Amino acid sequence: MKKIFLLLIILNIVTACEDVIDVEVPNTQPRLVIDASLNWFEGTSGVNQTIILSLSAPFFNSQTPPAIGANVTVTDQSNNVYTFLDTNSNGIYQCFDFNPQLNQEYTLNIIYNNESYTGTEIMASVTPIDYIEQNNDGGFEGDEIEIKAYYTDPIDEENYYFFEFKEEYETLPYLEVYDDEFTNGNQIFAYYTNEDTVSGNNLTIKNYGVSKQFFEFMSLLLQQTSEGGGPFEVQPATVRGNCINQTNPENFPFGYFRVSQATELVYTIE
């Protein structure tokens, strides 16, 4: 009985010490979030394209609301206009007659809540993946699987690459960007490793040709997300994309408008 009595006292003390703390996270007016990546994969016509519009949401929100009711078009330098429609009212705007052309300049135009947003990019070419090399003795302890995707950089050109690695069963892809400042005209590789990699899994590797501006934009994003910190740590700076609010510049959007030639390869991990 003495032991039971002491246990009840301890439990009462522990319970009495628990306080509920409400964390107040500052809220701001939602901004338009533009996910406009028009990709022309090798071996496809590239006519089907999608642009996703949503609104920024508070930190603890589990979902981001779609931005519906927008007028979305893309115009090329020959003044051909491609209309993107949100037929399901879910913020996913689709076009089925897009005409991708290398080195062509494209301009995104969005009218949302009586404000006009624009962004301009040139479609960059991509370099094919030559081959994949796997090393099963990677990492500091020599027990990690490392994947290298080799590609040959064109000589006497300024090239920028955006790689996406996604292993089956993974929710989010691993992203990386590269330039050819010190590797111009050479065969080089993009690198992937994951401690949860399992032999037999399929690894989808996508390579996109991108502009210098996108390379710099994504480099800053990846640098900030890799530096760690707590969930309430203030971001060093807001990384702005290439889209501008022409009506109200202070109400700038998040996201980026990108047009790329792309290549895709599926590798089975040995």
Coordinates of all heavy atoms in Angstrom, one line a residue, residues 1-13:
M1 N 0.8 -1.2 0.0 CA 0.0 0.0 0.0 C 0.9 1.3 0.0 O 0.5 2.3 -0.6 CB -0.9 0.0 1.2 CG -2.0 -1.1 1.2 SD -3.2 -0.8 -0.1 CE -3.9 0.8 0.4
K2 N 2.0 1.2 0.7 CA 2.9 2.3 0.8 C 3.4 2.7 -0.6 O 3.5 3.8 -1.0 CB 4.1 2.0 1.7 CG 5.0 3.2 1.9 CD 6.0 2.9 3.0 CE 7.0 4.1 3.2 NZ 8.0 3.8 4.1
K3 N 3.8 1.6 -1.4 CA 4.3 1.8 -2.7 C 3.2 2.5 -3.7 O 3.5 3.3 -4.5 CB 4.8 0.5 -3.3 CG 6.1 0.0 -2.7 CD 6.5 -1.3 -3.3 CE 7.8 -1.8 -2.7 NZ 8.3 -3.1 -3.3
I4 N 2.0 2.0 -3.5 CA 0.9 2.5 -4.3 C 0.7 4.0 -4.0 O 0.4 4.8 -4.9 CB -0.4 1.7 -4.1 CG1 -0.1 0.2 -4.6 CG2 -1.6 2.3 -4.8 CD1 -1.3 -0.7 -4.4
F5 N 0.7 4.3 -2.7 CA 0.5 5.7 -2.3 C 1.6 6.6 -2.8 O 1.3 7.7 -3.3 CB 0.5 5.7 -0.7 CG 0.3 7.1 -0.2 CD1 -1.0 7.7 -0.2 CD2 1.4 7.8 0.4 CE1 -1.1 9.0 0.3 CE2 1.2 9.1 0.9 CZ -0.1 9.7 0.9
L6 N 2.8 6.2 -2.8 CA 3.9 7.0 -3.3 C 3.8 7.2 -4.8 O 4.0 8.2 -5.4 CB 5.3 6.3 -3.0 CG 5.7 6.4 -1.5 CD1 7.0 5.6 -1.4 CD2 5.9 7.8 -1.1
L7 N 3.3 6.1 -5.5 CA 3.2 6.2 -7.0 C 2.1 7.2 -7.3 O 2.2 8.0 -8.3 CB 2.8 4.8 -7.5 CG 2.5 4.7 -9.1 CD1 3.8 5.1 -9.8 CD2 2.1 3.3 -9.4
L8 N 1.0 7.2 -6.6 CA -0.1 8.1 -6.8 C 0.4 9.6 -6.6 O 0.0 10.5 -7.3 CB -1.3 7.8 -5.9 CG -2.1 6.5 -6.2 CD1 -3.1 6.3 -5.1 CD2 -2.7 6.6 -7.6
I9 N 1.2 9.8 -5.6 CA 1.8 11.1 -5.4 C 2.6 11.6 -6.5 O 2.5 12.7 -7.0 CB 2.6 11.2 -4.0 CG1 1.6 10.9 -2.8 CG2 3.3 12.5 -3.9 CD1 2.4 10.9 -1.5
I10 N 3.5 10.7 -7.0 CA 4.4 11.1 -8.2 C 3.5 11.4 -9.4 O 3.8 12.4 -10.1 CB 5.3 9.9 -8.4 CG1 6.3 9.8 -7.3 CG2 6.1 10.2 -9.7 CD1 7.2 8.5 -7.4
L11 N 2.5 10.6 -9.7 CA 1.7 10.8 -10.8 C 0.9 12.1 -10.7 O 0.8 12.9 -11.7 CB 0.7 9.7 -11.0 CG 1.2 8.3 -11.5 CD1 0.1 7.3 -11.5 CD2 1.8 8.5 -12.9
N12 N 0.5 12.5 -9.5 CA -0.2 13.7 -9.3 C 0.7 14.9 -9.5 O 0.3 15.9 -10.1 CB -0.7 13.8 -7.9 CG -1.6 15.0 -7.6 OD1 -2.6 15.2 -8.3 ND2 -1.2 15.8 -6.6
I13 N 2.0 14.8 -9.1 CA 3.0 15.9 -9.3 C 3.3 16.1 -10.8 O 3.3 17.2 -11.3 CB 4.3 15.6 -8.5 CG1 4.0 15.6 -7.0 CG2 5.4 16.6 -8.9 CD1 5.2 15.2 -6.2

